[in-house]
Every structure is written in C-alpha cells, then in structure tokens.
Amino acid sequence: QVQLVESGGGLVQAGGSLRLSCAASGRPFDSLTMAWFRQAPGKERELVAVILRHGGTTYGADSVKGRFTISRDNAKNTVYLQMNSLKPEDTAVYYCAARVFWSSNYDWWGQGTQVTVSS
C-alpha cells in the first residue's frame, strides 16, 4: 500500500506560479512511476505529467508543455509539479498518482489539492 499526500495548491493570479508536492510512503519510492492528473469542474480527469523511476518524463496535455515541469527527489520520496505562467484554464483539482513501475494502472491516489487561477 502506498500513501500519497499532496500539498502546495492555492489561489494565484494568471501568470503566477505554484509548486505542488506529493510525499509518498509505504513502498520503496524508486519502484514507483509517479504522475500528476487534474480534473476541472464538469470535465474528465486528464493526465498532466508522468515521471519514471529514474527521471524520464512525459507530458499529457499540450497546453502544459513548456509551462509545467514534473520532477522527483528519490531521497525525499517526493514528486513535484512546478507550474509557471498559470492560466485560468489550469484551475482544477490536482491529484498525485503512483503505480509500480511494471504496472500500467495507477493504483494509488492522493486526496487532491485545489489550484485556482484568477484572471
């Protein structure tokens, strides 16, 4: 079992920045692929970014490429999402998720953290 605790959400003006953090416990962190998802009101959950065990990254929505950066610190069992040049359409609940590196399913999810970007 993996426990995920997110932090760092909040209210920010358009053009501002936020950094989300997700602390993991319960399993060796370097056995986990980590990801950030988001869900805006009335919309389906979408993948934001993925980071593999040793740091390889992929990004989901084209709208975040060049503005968001996912990273991880295996010594601190933590994954981050640095969000720059935020836009009102980035407003959503952001979820951290984890899967064992050989699995295709994200089995563990955090509680979510609200990000609100005002125009």
Side-chain angles (χ1 to χ4, degrees), residues 17 22 32 34-35 37 40 42 49 54 61 69 74 86 94 101 103 115:
S17 298
C22 173
L32 300 174
M34 303 297 297
F37 289 79
H54 300 304
T69 303
N74 286 351
L86 283 160
Y94 284 71
F101 70 93
S103 174
V115 171

Side-chain angles (χ1 to χ4, degrees), residues 42-101:
K43 295 187 176 181
E44 293 188 353
R45 184 174 61 197
E46 68 171 347
L47 175 67
V48 177
V50 178
I51 187 163
L52 305 179
R53 290 186 297 158
H54 300 304
T57 61
T58 59
Y59 293 87
D62 287 341
S63 62
V64 308
K65 293 177 182 177
R67 299 189 299 122
F68 290 10
T69 303
I70 189 171
S71 62
R72 66 190 291 161
D73 185 336
N74 286 351
K76 295 183 178 180
N77 295 349
T78 301
V79 62
Y80 304 97
L81 185 68
Q82 178 67 44
M83 306 185 293
N84 298 327
S85 302
L86 283 160
K87 304 176 181 180
E89 52 264 42
D90 295 317
T91 295
V93 178
Y94 284 71
Y95 297 92
C96 175
R99 59 179 173 87
V100 180
F101 70 93

